[in-house]
Amino acid sequence: MVTTRRQQKEAKPPLWKVLLLASRPNTLAASFTPVLVGHCVTRHLLGSAADANKSFRFWVFACLIQIGTNLHNDYADFVKGADDENRIGQARATQKGWLTPRQTAGLATLSLGLAHGIGVQLSREAGRWMWFVTWTSVFNAVAYTG
C-alpha cells in the first residue's frame, strides 16, 4: 500500500505521546504558578510552619484539574463539531483520531476523579474552604466547554 505525504504527516504517534499531547502540557503553568506563589507567600508568612507536603498535593490537584479540563474540552469540542479537519492550532487527540471520544471522556473523568479524591483528602486537613475549591473546580472543568 502506498501512503501519501499527508497520510505520513498524520500518522498516529505512540500512546505515551498522544496522552502527553492530549493533556496540553503547555497549559500546566496555569496550575503550577499560582500554587508556587501561594506556597512562597505562606512560607514567608509562616516560616517553617508552611506545609510543603500540602502544597505539593494541592499542586497535583491543580494539575489534574487542568488536565481534566483540557481533555473534557477536547472531547466536547469534537462532539459539538467545533474541532473538525479544518481546525488550525495545536493538535487535538480526538479530532486527529488518536483517541476516540469515549477514551477522551474517560481520561477526563479519571483525571477529575483523581483530583476530587485529592481535594477531599485535603479538605479533611484544611477545612471547608477546600470542599468549595474541590467541587467548584470539578464543576467548572466540565462547564468550561459544556
Side-chain angles (χ1 to χ4, degrees), residues 3 12 18 24 28 31 33 41 54 56 61 66 75 81 116 119 129:
T3 58
K12 181 178 176 181
V18 169
R24 301 186 208 161
L28 293 180
S31 59
T33 306
V41 169
K54 281 183 188 172
F56 176 76
F61 166 83
Q66 185 72 36
Y75 164 79
H116 179 264
W129 67 271

Side-chain angles (χ1 to χ4, degrees), residues 21-94:
L21 291 171
S23 71
R24 301 186 208 161
N26 58 322
T27 66
L28 293 180
S31 59
F32 173 72
T33 306
V35 176
L36 178 62
V37 169
H39 178 74
C40 289
V41 169
T42 303
R43 182 88 174 161
H44 176 73
L45 295 174
L46 299 178
S48 62
D51 190 342
N53 185 312
K54 281 183 188 172
S55 293
F56 176 76
R57 287 183 289 147
F58 190 80
W59 171 70
V60 172
F61 166 83
C63 285
L64 288 169
I65 290 292
Q66 185 72 36
I67 291 168
T69 302
N70 291 340
L71 289 166
H72 183 268
N73 176 257
D74 187 330
Y75 164 79
D77 280 354
F78 180 81
V79 170
K80 290 179 176 182
D83 283 349
D84 60 14
E85 63 277 352
N86 298 319
R87 183 182 183 287
I88 298 172
Q90 184 178 355
R92 300 284 177 92
T94 313

